[in-house]
Amino acid sequence: KKSFDLGFMVTDILLPAELEDKFNEYLQHCKKNDQPLKFICVSDQLGKLKNYINQIEDLKFEDFHLLIDEIDSMQLQSDFRNVMHYVMEIYKEHPHKNRTLLSATLTKFHDPKLNDEPFLKITYENPILIYARVLVSNNVEYRTAVTILDLNSNYPNEKILIAYNHIEGIKNVIDFIIKN
């Protein structure tokens, strides 16, 4: 357990022993297989991740490529504005060659320090359209589970992608599928 003053808050970083063991196993696995390390976190945990990485011998946060996705949402939604400020401070301090902002719907930045960021827009001349089903339900967990079972039964060799951003709901869907 270590305490860090991140300028905007003081936080403790404490990994449970089993998570720290898994983290170290991941580091060893990547090293053994000459595989690059990849970490994913939510925005409000970026400062903690940075400090945790910098605690590890032979690792420096600055050596990683920092990719911040959904940058448009972070700018426009008031829920993200406070978090975005700290994420963007980390971003602006990160080496230029190791950082990227990503968005499908990019808006103009309010921060003048970001005006000189390189910009790349990718468009497809002939986009490949993939069929997607949108289901509206008053019982999302049940509808999701039944739909997964139906798709798996009718298309056993096809890839199924379910976008569901609620951890407890995901767990309930998994439990329902296992039982059925």
Side-chain angles (χ1 to χ4, degrees), residues 31 91 115 120 171 176:
K31 187 175 184 177
Y91 177 84
N115 287 340
L120 174 64
K171 181 185 176 308
F176 181 90

Side-chain angles (χ1 to χ4, degrees), residues 7-24:
F8 55 94
M9 66 185 212
V10 175
T11 185
D12 291 331
I13 296 177
L14 176 61
L15 287 182
E18 63 274 6
L19 185 56
E20 192 166 342
D21 290 344
K22 287 183 185 217
F23 188 85
N24 289 327

